[in-house]
């Protein structure tokens, strides 16, 4: 099936990313963050590692990069804290792990993996999930670790206007994710997010939910989404693409086209996703202005992109 | 499409429900609880009310009935509290609302509906969700309301053995749910649960997740599940049935057969579900010993059932 072909794709969120509000320096920083995460995951695949390890490492790298809305760069919620969501899924076994509304965990994607492998459950929430993280001896951080001046300013602005905001004053769906196919033909997907700036009431988006923001199945594809989480949940976006491939015989490209550029557009579901099918084909569709994204495969494809048209 | 035909189905959980451990008196109580909820929902449909109102009212009735694991009869978690999950979805608009890990809310299904209609979000968790419930002026209860001697004993037993248990010492997936088609041809689904006795770490099951334990889509069907939540999430059970109908052209009956009696069985996914398609056909499949269930339609079908074979 795989001929030892392997591939990885990552994203750092979609939305209104305008060239006009981007400096060359900032763009270089974003590209560096994507490149570093991409190569981290790629190296694991190249060395014969599993897709599960590759997506976990790539997402952890994005979580550790302060410009993306996940891990240390997570946005502030309404109470001035950080509530993060993450998930991971393994296409070989359909095992999945997710966490929602967690604080203090340095790498939520690692907690998601621990949930998958050691909790006997699929989804853990809030303080209970944090308790489990401590039992699993995962690195924990105090609030200061999650402080970035940019995010704090965004929160203060949102508080002033009493709005629940996305990543930026520019409309941006801050999420990070990775999908991969390894040499053994196994698919995996992972997603992590800090959610919405100034969010209230314990809001949970699509990221931590298998079938919504994150899905992997060796029979079809691996998917990680970024966008208006509510509409992605209602549309069961990632499992929808899997079903269009499995039950309707669509190619990954056609399934992505239908879901991202037709079904989601019709309901106002702005955003995008990254996807790899069981043959290693990569799709990175989005219906917003831009999406931080990158991909690399064993046949030589190697891209780091932000806007609709390719970066140089 | 509907010819004014309407129908409703409800469940009160599936699992190892054995005639040998059931007294005539207890069985009569269960049947009374089901009958009362069924007729409450049916009356709304008969009067021309919406499927959304019917499933909400039927599930609220089941939540108010102490023998089922939802609302006042919710099981104890590891800390001696109650963490409930619920969801509701409307097939006409694909709007959905869900809550997870909530306490003190008398009727979690009503909170799920408030989330759907008034929060701007789809899924709220924990204390944030409770805060939203208070703002919505939903009836709140103190811990005593959720105390039942039977549940307390089950928890004490589970604590002693340090196990995370299902509803009973008998393996039972305590969840309640309802699906309905109204005279206008609109489908709706709702699910509510107290989860697992002695559960830890903020575990969330499939019930509150659109596409997993709860789903409704006027193009296909409405579904409410009960069973091993983890496997139902990983299998995206309710959206899977919808996709088998929409993309593969299966009938509701064949889609239910494939998912409940083949796909779920292969991975150990014990449980069942209730389903109504856009024509008003009702299916109530389960792969466990029994499932508390009932259905009624405008063509005269009217059943209250517990075991595999019909009750008298």
């Amino acid at each position: 099936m795989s001929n030892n072909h392997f591939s990885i794709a990552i994203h750092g969120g979609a939305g209104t990313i305008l060239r006009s509000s981007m400096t060359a320096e900032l763009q270089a920083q974003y590209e560096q963050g994507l490149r570093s995460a991409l190569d981290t995951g790629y190296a694991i695949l190249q060395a014969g590692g599993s897709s599960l390890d590759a997506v976990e490492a790539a997402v952890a790298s994005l979580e550790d990069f302060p410009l993306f809305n996940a891990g240390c760069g997570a946005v502030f919620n309404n109470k001035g804290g950080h509530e993060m969501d993450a998930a991971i899924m393994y296409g070989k076994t359909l095992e999945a792990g997710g966490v929602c509304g967690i604080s203090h965990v340095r790498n939520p994607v690692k907690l998601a993996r621990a949930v998958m492998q050691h909790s006997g459950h699929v989804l853990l929430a809030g303080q209970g999930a944090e308790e489990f993280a401590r039992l699993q001896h995962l690195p924990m951080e105090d609030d200061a670790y999650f402080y970035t001046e940019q995010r704090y300013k965004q929160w203060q602005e949102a508080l002033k206007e009493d709005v629940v905001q996305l990543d930026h004053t520019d409309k941006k769906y801050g999420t990070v994710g990775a999908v991969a196919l390894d040499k053994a033909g196994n698919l995996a997907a992972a997603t992590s997010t800090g959610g919405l700036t100034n969010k209230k009431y314990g809001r949970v988006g699509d990221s931590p939910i298998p079938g919504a923001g994150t899905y992997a199945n060796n029979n079809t594809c691996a998917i990680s989404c970024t966008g208006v989480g509510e509409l992605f949940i209602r549309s069961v976006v990632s499992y929808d693409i899997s079903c269009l491939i499995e039950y309707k015989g669509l190619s990954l490209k056609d399934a992505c086209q239908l879901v991202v550029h037709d079904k989601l557009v019709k309901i106002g579901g702005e955003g995008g996703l990254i996807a790899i099918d069981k043959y290693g084909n990569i799709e990175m569709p989005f219906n917003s202005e831009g999406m931080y994204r990158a991909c690399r495969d064993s046949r030589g494809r190697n891209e780091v992109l932000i806007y609709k048209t390719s970066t140089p």
Side-chain angles (χ1 to χ4, degrees), chain A residues 156-223:
Chain A
Q156 290 300 315
E157 281 166 29
L159 265 182
K160 241 183 285 173
E161 299 163 26
D162 192 27
V163 291
V164 176
Q165 272 190 337
L166 302 163
D167 182 349
H168 262 209
T169 41
D170 295 330
K171 202 162 56 165
K172 249 174 62 182
Y173 307 101
T175 307
V176 305
V179 291
L181 174 74
D182 61 28
K183 288 181 179 177
N186 295 315
L187 288 161
T191 312
S192 181
T193 185
L196 309 178
T197 294
N198 201 31
K199 74 177 170 184
K200 298 177 184 177
Y201 312 133
R203 178 263 187 188
V204 177
D206 61 317
S207 303
I209 302 177
T214 308
Y215 189 71
N217 183 335
N218 274 8
N219 290 329
T220 55
C221 59
I223 310 264

Side-chain angles (χ1 to χ4, degrees), chain A residues 18 21 38 46 72 82 89 93 102 106 145 156 166 186 190 199 231 242 264-265 295 297 307:
Chain A
L18 298 173
S21 55
L38 184 71
Q46 194 168 35
C72 72
H82 303 274
M89 188 159 181
T93 58
I102 59 160
R106 189 196 295 168
Y145 174 81
Q156 290 300 315
L166 302 163
N186 295 315
K199 74 177 170 184
L231 293 168
S242 178
L264 278 172
V265 168
C295 67
D297 71 20
Y307 308 104

